[in-house]
Amino acid sequence: MAKSFIKIPYFLFLLVLFFCLHGSVENYGFLHVNEVIRVFAITSACVALLFLVTFGLTKNLLLASLVSFFISSWWLFFGAIHDLIKATPFLDFLRSYTVLIPVLLVLNIFIIRWIKRNKQLHPKLFLFLNILFLVFCLADVVLLTNRYFNYKEIRVAQAVKFNASKVRQKPNVYFLLFDEYAGYKSLQDSFGFKNDSLYNLLQQQNFKILPGFSNYDFTPYSMSSIFNMQYVPGAYDKQLLAQPDIQQRFAEIRNGEVFAIFRSMGYTINNYSVFDIRDHPALSQSNGLFPIHATLLTNKIFHKRLVKNVGWWFITGKFELPFLKKNILYKVDGYNKKVEEKVLEAASAKQVKPGFYYAHFFLPHGQYFRDSTGAFNRPEQISDLYNKSLYLSYLKYTNTIINGLVKNINAMDPGAIVVIMSDHGFYDYQNKGGYEPYNFDNICFLRLPGAKPDSSNLPRSNVNFFRYLFNTGYGQNLPYVKDSTVFVIEDPAVLR
């Protein structure tokens, strides 16, 4: 066995194993075993193919193994390298891809030439790399085992007391969330647009306009506070949110108090969103906004990071690749269509148990795929996030989606509770400080058949919405928490 460590390139297999184990330790609780196995299998196949090609060119097992290892290493850990460079001031000159990628290529050429010239070191390198990555993998196995036995589901600290015995009726509930839909005041003041057509339509359909505003300007934080009816724990840097902060919010959403309360009343949970809910996985296992599921492992691999940051080179202009345009540019638009279909299917189905339907539309959230008529925008327009006219046109298109959903739900499920809300308002104002009070100006409409709305004690912000709904529609007497706003800034290199 000891001799094989200087002859057999176990380190190629161990490199991929370490990549998956280390990612699993970092993201424990947010990955499924089958997702990790799939990533391991695909990555192993790619490394094996690289080795076979290199061996075919060199006809030398030792040289081919070492060359494949160094190429695979920077390919797999490119994102980690790039993030380290961005966080290190004296390495800032390497930040640009046009500098970093040529540097890595030149470095690889020098390493390959050095390995080729120093054949006497090959067995020693084999031994060193085999032992090193075996130790790395064993260390991560220990850490992963420790996580397994000590992991606790992340919940918001304070449970909300709900008395199910006071509930007299259990209609279906459609919670339709339209991401980044701006409120009436911000549209009027900042866009010169009065959104009267939507407001008049919803009032005609017996919706009540609630005077709410969002508590956070960033979706995972806003949704965590909505579904837990309280603010998220404050142990995070509000000026620079990192990936662990976002994962914390995802876990809080997954174990949200609102879902637990609806379960306690005998409701089924139906999840048409990008967020996992316990026992109800996200509708989409990937999205263009947040790394989730297997993407947590793969989002730092070279080609993934390249597509994310400079992929627009290949979906527009002279370098345009049609298959990439379809699979990258319009991916979220396809997700929105799928959410719409799911809601309409649910409304038309006859259910034995009452259902809570959470539908999360990335509308009119940028990217701006369509204009007000529903026609696709040009590729160069889609990501022009600061363009108010494009946003406004997309918002008008969103109004047609809302119109269709409301009319169909009202026709097919007239006794249902319907909520139309946004998690925050438009926030790409391009102002110097990044903060704009209108970031928090959102919409909130409620149709509550068969219940007398409490007009004297309306919620003023999203964090109190479900407290209001449970009080008004389900006979509760839940106290409100203090209304306030929290401005947070995400790291755009990681999250947007």
Side-chain angles (χ1 to χ4, degrees):
M1 182 66 180
K3 289 185 178 180
S4 70
F5 268 53
I6 62 174
K7 294 181 178 180
I8 300 177
Y10 297 116
F11 51 80
L12 289 177
F13 163 80
L14 292 172
L15 173 68
V16 180
L17 183 61
F18 169 67
F19 172 76
C20 292
L21 285 173
H22 199 68
S24 298
V25 171
E26 288 184 337
N27 300 288
Y28 190 85
F30 300 92
L31 291 164
H32 298 306
V33 174
N34 61 329
E35 293 171 340
V36 179
I37 292 173
R38 185 169 66 250
V39 170
F40 174 78
I42 294 172
T43 308
S44 296
C46 292
V47 172
L49 179 62
L50 174 62
F51 167 75
L52 290 174
V53 170
T54 308
F55 180 69
L57 294 173
T58 63
K59 308 299 181 184
N60 185 315
L61 174 67
L62 299 181
L63 178 61
S65 301
L66 292 170
V67 169
S68 300
F69 169 80
F70 285 108
I71 293 175
S72 299
S73 295
W74 75 261
W75 192 280
L76 290 175
F77 296 97
F78 174 83
I81 295 168
H82 195 213
D83 291 343
L84 177 63
I85 288 171
K86 289 185 293 183
T88 308
F90 69 86
L91 294 176
D92 194 63
F93 70 98
L94 291 172
R95 174 189 290 261
S96 170
Y97 279 29
T98 55
V99 176
L100 179 59
I101 293 175
V103 167
L104 286 173
L105 290 174
V106 170
L107 184 62
N108 266 273
I109 292 171
F110 275 108
I111 290 173
I112 291 170
R113 293 188 65 181
W114 180 82
I115 291 172
K116 193 173 181 180
R117 289 178 178 178
N118 293 274
K119 295 180 180 180
Q120 73 281 5
L121 294 178
H122 291 181
K124 293 180 180 179
L125 282 172
F126 262 50
L127 179 63
F128 173 74
L129 292 174
N130 279 333
I131 293 175
L132 179 67
F133 277 87
L134 179 61
V135 171
F136 282 171
C137 289
L138 290 174
D140 274 338
V141 167
V142 171
L143 291 173
L144 203 56
T145 304
N146 182 61
R147 291 286 180 94
Y148 176 79
F149 286 107
N150 295 290
Y151 180 76
K152 294 181 180 179
E153 282 285 350
I154 298 171
R155 301 177 187 275
V156 183
Q158 300 174 358
V160 176
K161 293 182 180 180
F162 185 90
N163 188 346
S165 67
K166 293 184 177 181
V167 178
R168 297 291 176 264
Q169 57 181 2
K170 300 177 183 178
N172 290 328
V173 178
Y174 297 86
F175 183 72
L176 311 181
L177 194 291
F178 291 86
D179 207 302
E180 203 180 338
Y181 197 113
Y184 191 93
K185 182 173 176 56
S186 56
L187 287 176
Q188 183 177 11
D189 294 353
S190 297
F191 293 78
F193 174 69
K194 293 184 178 182
N195 200 9
D196 292 328
S197 60
L198 177 71
Y199 282 68
N200 292 336
L201 165 74
L202 294 178
Q203 286 179 313
Q204 291 168 9
Q205 297 287 340
N206 298 315
F207 279 82
K208 183 176 184 61
I209 303 171
L210 299 182
F213 57 85
S214 64
N215 305 96
Y216 297 89
D217 60 319
F218 187 43
T219 299
Y221 281 71
S222 183
M223 298 315 302
S224 173
S225 66
I226 290 171
F227 286 137
N228 286 287
M229 297 177 282
Q230 52 200 278
Y231 295 94
V232 301
Y236 57 88
D237 183 355
K238 296 179 179 63
Q239 298 304 305
L240 191 62
L241 304 180
Q243 184 58 42
D245 299 318
I246 310 308
Q247 289 179 211
Q248 186 93 357
R249 306 294 82 82
F250 272 58
E252 291 162 1
I253 294 168
R254 182 173 62 197
N255 297 300
E257 280 287 304
V258 167
F259 307 121
I261 289 173
F262 276 109
R263 285 194 193 97
S264 74
M265 292 190 286
Y267 277 75
T268 61
I269 305 299
N270 302 269
N271 181 19
Y272 311 139
S273 78
V274 296
F275 300 104
D276 283 338
I277 300 169
R278 192 197 309 169
D279 301 325
H280 303 279
L283 178 64
S284 175
Q285 299 299 298
S286 64
N287 64 84
L289 299 174
F290 313 109
I292 59 174
H293 290 279
T295 310
L296 291 167
L297 279 180
T298 62
N299 70 330
K300 292 184 179 180
I301 294 178
F302 173 68
H303 67 278
K304 292 280 188 176
R305 185 63 69 89
L306 191 67
V307 167
K308 179 180 178 181
N309 291 337
V310 298
W312 58 272
W313 287 358
F314 306 105
I315 56 180
T316 183
K318 62 181 180 180
F319 299 114
E320 176 184 319
L321 299 175
F323 77 95
L324 278 181
K325 176 187 290 188
K326 182 179 179 181
N327 289 288
I328 295 174
L329 195 60
Y330 300 112
K331 189 173 184 178
V332 176
D333 181 74
Y335 161 83
N336 287 327
K337 286 294 182 184
K338 190 174 182 181
V339 176
E340 182 183 8
E341 291 170 4
K342 287 290 186 181
V343 174
L344 294 176
E345 286 174 10
S348 63
K350 302 298 182 183
Q351 304 292 344
V352 176
K353 291 184 176 182
F356 177 82
Y357 302 92
Y358 167 37
H360 194 120
F361 294 86
F362 286 110
L363 290 169
H365 190 291
Q367 302 168 317
Y368 310 133
F369 295 104
R370 299 173 185 267
D371 64 17
S372 59
T373 68
F376 282 114
N377 287 323
R378 297 192 307 276
E380 62 270 19
Q381 293 177 304
I382 288 174
S383 294
D384 189 3
L385 301 182
Y386 297 108
N387 190 317
K388 287 186 176 182
S389 64
L390 290 174
Y391 171 83
L392 187 58
S393 184
Y394 202 34
L395 182 139
K396 292 176 182 177
Y397 165 73
T398 303
N399 285 352
T400 66
I401 302 299
I402 294 174
N403 187 356
L405 288 171
V406 166
K407 288 184 176 179
N408 277 283
I409 293 173
N410 283 1
M412 294 184 287
D413 196 353
I417 294 172
V418 184
V419 183
I420 297 173
M421 180 189 281
S422 57
D423 54 339
H424 55 76
F426 179 76
Y427 54 27
D428 286 310
Y429 284 100
Q430 210 170 11
N431 52 325
K432 292 181 179 179
Y435 176 79
E436 171 63 56
Y438 289 147
N439 291 358
F440 304 94
D441 183 37
N442 67 312
I443 59 171
C444 187
F445 303 96
L446 172 64
R447 195 192 75 170
L448 193 60
K452 185 178 180 181
D454 181 0
S455 299
S456 62
N457 192 26
L458 295 175
R460 293 188 60 246
S461 69
N462 288 0
V463 72
N464 283 311
F465 171 77
F466 276 103
R467 291 174 181 264
Y468 172 80
L469 178 61
F470 290 141
N471 290 345
T472 306
Y474 294 88
Q476 304 300 303
N477 189 27
L478 303 178
Y480 285 169
V481 297
K482 184 179 179 180
D483 296 297
S484 67
T485 58
V486 182
F487 181 69
V488 294
I489 302 175
E490 75 272 24
D491 181 356
V494 177
L495 303 170
R496 291 190 63 190

